[in-house]
Amino acid sequence: MHINSIGQGPDLVLVHGWSMHSGVWQPLVDLLAEHFRCHLVDLPGHGQSDWQPGDFELPTLLASLAKALSQKAIWLGWSLGGMVALAMTQRYPDKVKKLILLASNPRFVQTDDWPCAMAAEVFDTFSASLAVDQQQTLQRFIMLQAKGANQPRQVIKQLSEQLAQQHEPEPEALQAGLKCLAEWDLRDALTTVNCPTQMILAENDHLVPASLANYAVELQPKLRIDVMPGLGHAPFISQPQQCQLVIEQFLHE
């Protein structure tokens, strides 16, 4: 697993979302690296990380991360990366000092008892399109992430540029990642988390609705929730300085 480390200070692990790679954190990481030692993870089959079938099986993935990142650290995960970080907190609590869930849902797809998520029919249609045309599906996903942002063109431009800077993710890795989004249910992990935890949501997010806040705090009353106004699924791209401020306020508590 490829991990790039930059900056000085307390250890901060950053885990990207579905279909992207660690480069997506620019320029937020430039700001954070002034005060933290940032460890930028490329998930299996993404960025510069190799892919082997089974790499996204949760016990395998968590064990790989635990081996590669031996130090206790703050964990910051975006979207799918937030689910990985939450699962890491449950499986290896000694590895996680504080947890930040950025535009991330412990249950990504709606169920009867979890309406604050993506509609199952929308997710299924999206998944089916990946098998037909991967490139077009990735572009559609970029558009979904930009939707609702106050500067959608900036988000589309930056996400597209980051995707183009690396080889496209392995098709099997993309399918495995979608399977994780469809099947993982980490609500129990959120309920039992025992380290300081922040959930950052975006007001206009079309993938992880801001209404999640009402449901998440019922699972974890100690959760700190920050909702960023006027932004979509990638608030750290639209407003990196504002996002840095929200993150560091929590970390310095």
Side-chain angles (χ1 to χ4, degrees):
M1 188 175 295
H2 182 266
I3 299 173
N4 182 35
S5 300
I6 61 172
Q8 298 294 328
D11 290 297
L12 172 60
V13 177
L14 295 94
V15 189
H16 62 81
W18 182 80
S19 81
M20 298 307 299
H21 56 82
S22 58
V24 76
W25 292 109
Q26 303 290 343
L28 175 63
V29 74
D30 291 336
L31 301 171
L32 293 174
E34 294 180 9
H35 305 109
F36 298 92
R37 179 69 171 166
C38 297
H39 305 279
L40 308 172
V41 174
D42 279 337
L43 290 172
H46 296 69
Q48 298 182 57
S49 287
D50 295 333
W51 169 254
Q52 296 292 331
D55 279 350
F56 263 106
E57 294 296 329
L58 194 53
T60 302
L61 178 58
L62 297 180
S64 297
L65 287 166
K67 182 178 179 181
L69 296 155
S70 58
Q71 63 274 54
K72 189 169 187 177
I74 303 155
W75 282 67
L76 164 59
W78 171 47
S79 198
L80 174 61
M83 299 179 82
V84 173
L86 179 56
M88 192 75 185
T89 305
Q90 183 181 42
R91 177 66 182 84
Y92 296 97
D94 57 317
K95 296 279 189 185
V96 185
K97 186 184 301 182
K98 289 189 175 185
L99 174 65
I100 304 168
L101 306 173
L102 176 58
S104 184
N105 199 329
R107 184 75 174 94
F108 190 78
V109 179
Q110 281 182 5
T111 59
D112 290 341
D113 63 345
W114 197 250
C116 54
M118 178 181 277
E121 58 271 20
V122 175
F123 183 86
D124 291 343
T125 301
F126 183 83
S127 298
S129 71
L130 182 66
V132 177
D133 190 330
Q134 175 171 310
Q135 191 169 13
Q136 185 178 25
T137 303
L138 292 177
Q139 285 300 317
R140 182 184 168 208
F141 188 60
I142 287 174
M143 300 289 284
L144 282 171
Q145 292 176 87
K147 194 174 182 180
N150 58 359
Q151 299 181 52
R153 290 183 181 178
Q154 174 193 340
V155 176
I156 292 169
K157 180 175 183 289
Q158 186 159 336
L159 287 174
S160 298
E161 287 175 352
Q162 289 295 341
L163 198 59
Q165 283 179 11
Q166 303 271 356
H167 296 298
E168 276 195 8
E170 290 288 336
E172 287 185 17
L174 288 173
Q175 291 287 359
L178 282 183
K179 188 172 186 288
C180 297
L181 289 172
E183 297 180 358
W184 285 358
D185 187 346
L186 297 168
R187 288 176 287 180
D188 284 349
L190 185 59
T191 300
T192 58
V193 69
N194 59 7
C195 67
T197 302
Q198 177 185 37
M199 177 176 282
I200 302 174
L201 301 171
E203 180 184 28
N204 300 331
D205 193 334
H206 285 256
L207 298 174
V208 177
S211 61
L212 168 61
N214 299 322
Y215 294 83
V217 77
E218 289 185 9
L219 295 179
Q220 181 49 260
K222 295 180 181 179
L223 191 64
R224 168 174 171 155
I225 299 177
D226 292 279
V227 179
M228 301 185 71
L231 299 179
H233 189 61
F236 60 97
I237 292 176
S238 299
Q239 296 289 338
Q241 291 179 321
Q242 184 181 346
C243 204
Q244 175 212 13
L245 180 63
V246 171
I247 289 169
E248 293 197 0
Q249 282 176 344
F250 166 69
L251 293 181
H252 293 318
E253 283 181 347

